[in-house]
Amino acid sequence: MASSRNQNFIFMLISVLIILATMSFTSALFSAKHVVIVNKLVTRATLVVHCMNKDEDKGVISLGPGDSFDFRFRVNLRKTTVYTCSFAWPGNTATFDIFRADRDDNPQSKVGVCSECIWSIYEPAPCRDKRDGGQPNCFPWAS
């Protein structure tokens, strides 16, 4: 009788561990991302932002000085997820890949992995802020 209870307990324990491992694997496989875009234009102009990927359009958003816009998504299985944003402010337009899995979800990339990718948008360049408050990583505009 005690042996039967032990076998049932071990079976239940192994089942729970398998379920938890599967959930962790699935979460790691499709890593959740949170992109935040902050208008830090030195001219204090309104920034018009339009972000999309091949499947989803986030719409056109107007950001006043210091305002932010954010969205969440999961990286695809092939790790090819890209979100491109166009930015416009008086007298200027620019484009930038605000999220690229090869850059922002790759431990070997120069800037490392971000689960919360905070971008400060300045006239000369978009900059990904560091969570520790260190010097941000700035990138050239694509156009």
Side-chain angles (χ1 to χ4, degrees), residues 34-38 114 116-120 127-129 131:
H34 181 207
V35 170
V36 180
I37 299 168
V38 183
C114 63
E116 184 172 44
C117 310
I118 302 171
W119 290 91
S120 294
C127 300
R128 195 176 101 187
D129 296 336
R131 298 293 291 160

Side-chain angles (χ1 to χ4, degrees), residues 8-107:
N8 285 341
F9 175 75
I10 290 171
F11 175 76
M12 292 297 284
L13 182 62
I14 289 172
S15 297
V16 168
L17 290 174
I18 289 172
I19 290 169
L20 289 174
T22 303
M23 288 171 48
S24 296
F25 176 74
T26 302
S27 292
L29 200 58
F30 301 104
S31 55
K33 299 297 175 186
H34 181 207
V35 170
V36 180
I37 299 168
V38 183
N39 176 358
K40 294 212 179 162
L41 297 174
V42 176
T43 58
R44 302 198 42 81
T46 296
L47 178 66
V48 178
V49 181
H50 185 201
C51 299
M52 64 178 70
N53 72 5
K54 65 180 184 163
D55 300 317
E56 184 179 17
D57 187 333
K58 297 295 184 181
V60 178
I61 308 293
S62 287
L63 300 176
D67 289 348
S68 64
F69 161 65
D70 72 300
F71 58 94
R72 297 173 191 272
F73 60 95
R74 290 196 178 276
V75 174
N76 67 21
L77 181 62
R78 294 173 303 167
K79 299 238 179 220
T80 57
T81 303
V82 176
Y83 274 89
T84 302
C85 298
S86 62
F87 299 89
W89 63 95
N92 294 284
T93 59
T95 304
F96 182 71
D97 290 339
I98 208 75
F99 182 87
R100 280 191 4 227
D102 66 331
R103 179 192 63 215
D104 302 309
D105 195 42
N106 179 354

Side-chain angles (χ1 to χ4, degrees), residues 89 120-127 138-141:
W89 63 95
S120 294
I121 306 302
Y122 300 97
E123 289 88 343
C127 300
C138 298
F139 298 85
W141 292 110

